[in-house]
Amino acid sequence: RFHLTQAALYLATCEKSNSTLGFFDALQAVEEEHKEVPVHLKDPSRDAEGFGHGEGYLYPHAYRDHWTAQQYLPDGLRDRVFYQPGSQGYEASIRREVERKREIQLELAAEPAVFEVLTFSPKNTRQEQWINRLASRQSSMLQEIRSHVFSALRLHRHSRILDISDGSGVLIWEACRQVPEGGVYAPVSSNSRRKELSSYASRMSREQQPVLYSGDLFSLNAALPEDLRFEAVIGRNAYLRCRSRDELFLFLKQLLAPEGELSLSEIVPSLGSRLSQAADAVPPQRWGRMQLITSPEQLKDILETAEGHIYGDETRQLTNWDIRQLLEDLGRASFTETAHTRFTHSEQRELPRQELDRWVRQSYLPFLDKFGGREAAEEIIALLSDLSVVWKTAEVHVHAKA
């Protein structure tokens, strides 16, 4: 009975599926793997108070199309797919929608939380992070980004696309669908991420599978056929994470075919929310425990001073740029018909202590010396940990022609 219950939960990831084969695949996976049932799927009527069972569960029928991107698989099985819609009848009509939803779900598991972009933090696969992120608007944000990138392009079935997202799955699978007779190419620097993408691609026909290269973007010259040029270059956060921004667009210009298009979506850290904006949300009872920082005004002043360095220091690659600089770099590379759209995503989210600790120590601590150094960092973490705040992420979509 326990195994059957788990199998039923796993099948909840198989949208609109009545597949018998999917059921038995799930049942076999349960019996072989013996993975822990995610906390948010456990019975809340028994141990909710002591163990948090059921906390964070999202009721699918409360969401649009009766679907939410919440993960029902344990971390060890999250990449398993138990149901693949067929190409005939009703299954053919839902295939594309099922695939798109599944891809967003897998991407939410793979990429770090948005505010961690300041620290290049390693991926955190804790179930708590799943719950915090999937209860937010992250799913709709990724769908909106995907829509922006592809709606700007004039693609044909035989077009060739280069995805420079370095392992992000937000765009690559949609690219494969849109150019079934062309080709999708992508450099992926992480071996583990490349294996995950290859695993998902193995479910596609060989002709539609993307070509994945090992290494970073600038190693492509040695890997690509000499005469290969692309009708489109797409990407997310390629400019943000590039260590050689001055060379990025010059390099991409060489890879584009005449009249080729560039379509990128980029988080702009300097235009999004900052920790200083959370100072007023600190509950009054926390101030009495502090020795160095005793008021919201003082906390805000300390954080704003540090942020002046974080976002203004010319040596800090992640944060020292804005939309104007991105457009200037495009102009220097002689891209034409450049257009951009700025948009902002807002979500109610918590500031988990573990992520906040890493963020403050890596990004803020170097600028806290005159306020108490490590002791000030400890108090900032204690004051802001687990606060629920409205967090805004600024993003820009840019489109240009070679």
Side-chain angles (χ1 to χ4, degrees), residues 176-195:
C176 291
R177 277 190 289 271
Q178 296 216 12
V179 293
E181 298 172 15
V184 178
Y185 301 76
V188 184
S189 57
S190 164
N191 289 332
S192 60
R193 186 59 178 145
R194 192 166 58 256
K195 289 178 181 177

Side-chain angles (χ1 to χ4, degrees), residues 325-337:
Q325 181 179 335
L326 185 155
L327 296 176
E328 287 177 354
D329 286 348
L330 275 170
R332 277 193 289 271
S334 301
F335 277 88
T336 62
E337 299 184 33

Side-chain angles (χ1 to χ4, degrees), residues 115-116 124 126 128-129 132 349-358 381 384-387:
F115 71 73
E116 290 181 338
N124 185 339
R126 292 180 308 132
E128 289 80 5
Q129 181 175 345
N132 288 336
R349 65 163 301 148
E350 290 185 357
L351 302 177
R353 184 179 184 91
Q354 185 174 353
E355 283 81 2
L356 184 65
D357 184 283
R358 182 165 54 242
I381 293 165
L384 298 181
S385 287
D386 302 318
L387 287 185

